[in-house]
Amino acid sequence: MMTINVAIIGGTGYTGVELIRLLSQHPHACIRYLTSRSEVGRAVSQIFPSLLGVCDVVYSDMTDEVMDEIGQNCQIVFFATPHGVAMKYTPALIARGVKVIDLGADFRLQNLDEFKQYYALDHTCADVLAGAVYGLAEIHRERIKTAQVIANPGCYPTTAILGLKPVIETQNHANKPLILKNIIIDAKSGVSGAGRNAKMNLLFSELSDNFSAYGVTSHRHTPEICQGVHDFLGSKFAHKIRFVPHLVPMIRGMFSTIHLTLTEEGQAMDWQAVFEKSYQNEPFVDVLPKGSLPDTRSVRASNRLKIAIHQDDDTLTILVVQDNLVKGASGQAVQNMNILCGFDETCGLSTEFGGCAVVP
């Protein structure tokens, strides 16, 4: 099978380094270029010693000349950059026939007004955005196969949308509502989800022995979750979604708890069976046996998302865990690359813990 050349734009952040780890062990991918504004001229193994002997590519600056060279020599370009960077360079790349997978938010939200509201940016290539595919394989696998631009989903939306998918799809085929109006998503993430930049609230002395909520009414992932539920899953009911994220004192991992109030029709459903059937053929979604409880350690450094369902009279609770840097970011990006290139979807991701994690 063919080998493809890839570039990672922004290869020193947590998601960029996870991409390096995963792609370095991928049998059909060759990392040709890594870019970094701050580490130009240094080999990746000098900065991340755990990659010594795994990847020794030298970082380049993200100049127009380098980007032009990347466009000539690579088939896939990953952007692991701050919001606004990918949309600047993507039009020229796809004009050359390069496929783009953006781990940022530039191509996630189809509503331009919402994008500007939540990211304080005007979108500069709305035509490219209109053709971008939201890269949640469990929903858009067929569209991903022919995409030019893939918007890698956010970490929180991955847990929320996949947690709700069997419920919304079942409800869409029901004659009466199965759940009442409110959907409550109570989510927790490790600190790596906030990025690698130094911030006061992320210092060890501030974060340790602490637990806090943030973005309660205005988190950037709220419209992405709503888009997934209403547009991608095609919910026929106007559910109000309350999403509350929290920061917990651990490095990596994500745990989302979704609470639904059921109607009488919803209470009569066997939701354990519904979830098992919905995900029975998905390689990276595990529905745990009835009565089980997931934990973040069980998915550490893997591309697996685990779901448990607990039904009690009129309340349905869905528990979802993943590694925010893998299934919530870089692993999902590799999964999208595999689908896009016609590789086995699990290629480079099938090992439960995917090799040694770079980020502790």
Side-chain angles (χ1 to χ4, degrees), residues 227-343:
Q227 175 182 254
V229 170
H230 297 304
D231 297 345
F232 300 151
L233 294 178
S235 176
K236 296 178 181 178
F237 300 94
H239 300 300
K240 179 180 179 181
I241 297 175
R242 170 65 77 191
F243 168 61
V244 182
H246 301 77
L247 192 63
V248 296
M250 64 182 183
I251 295 172
R252 57 197 299 162
M254 180 166 285
F255 199 134
S256 292
T257 304
I258 305 171
H259 301 287
L260 306 174
T261 302
L262 302 171
T263 63
E264 288 186 8
E265 288 77 11
Q267 293 175 50
M269 300 288 299
D270 181 351
W271 289 107
Q272 179 72 28
V274 168
F275 273 74
E276 289 177 356
K277 182 178 180 181
S278 180
Y279 287 123
Q280 63 184 344
N281 297 317
E282 289 298 340
F284 294 116
V285 180
D286 297 334
V287 178
L288 301 183
K290 189 173 183 178
S292 299
L293 293 171
D295 58 65
T296 57
R297 184 174 295 182
S298 67
V299 293
R300 182 180 175 84
S302 83
N303 198 53
R304 293 194 175 277
L305 179 143
K306 296 190 177 184
I307 302 178
I309 302 94
H310 290 266
Q311 184 175 349
D312 181 21
D313 297 327
D314 68 343
T315 301
L316 179 65
T317 299
I318 305 161
L319 308 167
V320 189
V321 298
Q322 69 175 6
D323 187 317
N324 57 293
L325 295 179
V326 188
K327 181 58 174 172
S330 302
Q332 188 154 230
V334 174
Q335 185 180 353
N336 282 321
M337 181 195 76
N338 286 340
I339 297 169
L340 186 62
C341 296
F343 304 143

Side-chain angles (χ1 to χ4, degrees), residues 68-353:
D68 185 64
E69 191 176 328
I70 288 171
Q72 294 179 53
N73 295 299
C74 292
Q75 288 79 51
I76 303 284
V77 172
F78 296 89
F79 282 92
T81 50
H83 313 305
V85 176
M87 62 182 173
K88 177 180 178 181
Y89 293 99
T90 292
L93 288 170
I94 63 174
R96 289 180 176 272
V98 178
K99 307 289 188 178
V100 170
I101 301 175
D102 178 28
L103 281 78
D106 288 12
F107 299 102
R108 290 176 186 164
L109 293 180
Q110 287 294 323
N111 186 305
L112 293 175
D113 292 334
E114 286 187 337
F115 180 81
K116 184 172 183 178
Q117 176 186 346
Y118 283 89
Y119 293 95
L121 293 170
D122 288 312
H123 210 287
T124 59
C125 53
D127 55 335
V128 177
L129 171 65
V133 175
Y134 191 72
L136 200 52
E138 292 78 9
I139 295 176
H140 287 151
R141 185 173 281 110
E142 291 304 312
R143 292 187 62 201
I144 290 168
K145 291 178 181 179
T146 58
Q148 283 187 301
V149 178
I150 295 174
N152 214 59
C155 48
Y156 283 124
T158 297
T159 61
I161 297 169
L162 292 184
L164 289 166
K165 177 178 180 286
V167 178
I168 301 302
E169 289 181 339
T170 302
Q171 181 166 272
N172 286 346
H173 291 92
N175 294 324
K176 295 181 179 181
L178 302 177
I179 62 176
L180 299 179
K181 282 189 174 181
N182 293 337
I183 295 175
I184 299 173
I185 304 168
D186 180 10
K188 289 92 174 172
S189 176
V191 69
S192 59
R196 201 160 174 250
N197 293 326
K199 300 174 184 177
M200 179 67 73
N201 67 315
L202 303 181
L203 297 176
F204 177 80
S205 56
E206 302 288 336
L207 181 69
S208 182
D209 250 353
N210 197 12
F211 183 98
S212 59
Y214 64 102
V216 174
T217 59
S218 59
H219 194 278
R220 290 171 169 177
H221 285 168
T222 301
E224 188 180 340
I225 294 170
C226 292
Q227 175 182 254
V229 170
H230 297 304
D231 297 345
F232 300 151
L233 294 178
S235 176
K236 296 178 181 178
F237 300 94
H239 300 300
K240 179 180 179 181
I241 297 175
R242 170 65 77 191
F243 168 61
V244 182
H246 301 77
L247 192 63
V248 296
M250 64 182 183
I251 295 172
R252 57 197 299 162
M254 180 166 285
F255 199 134
S256 292
T257 304
I258 305 171
H259 301 287
L260 306 174
T261 302
L262 302 171
T263 63
E264 288 186 8
E265 288 77 11
Q267 293 175 50
M269 300 288 299
D270 181 351
W271 289 107
Q272 179 72 28
V274 168
F275 273 74
E276 289 177 356
K277 182 178 180 181
S278 180
Y279 287 123
Q280 63 184 344
N281 297 317
E282 289 298 340
F284 294 116
V285 180
D286 297 334
V287 178
L288 301 183
K290 189 173 183 178
S292 299
L293 293 171
D295 58 65
T296 57
R297 184 174 295 182
S298 67
V299 293
R300 182 180 175 84
S302 83
N303 198 53
R304 293 194 175 277
L305 179 143
K306 296 190 177 184
I307 302 178
I309 302 94
H310 290 266
Q311 184 175 349
D312 181 21
D313 297 327
D314 68 343
T315 301
L316 179 65
T317 299
I318 305 161
L319 308 167
V320 189
V321 298
Q322 69 175 6
D323 187 317
N324 57 293
L325 295 179
V326 188
K327 181 58 174 172
S330 302
Q332 188 154 230
V334 174
Q335 185 180 353
N336 282 321
M337 181 195 76
N338 286 340
I339 297 169
L340 186 62
C341 296
F343 304 143
D344 186 288
E345 193 167 327
T346 65
C347 196
L349 297 167
S350 57
T351 302
E352 179 67 12
F353 292 97

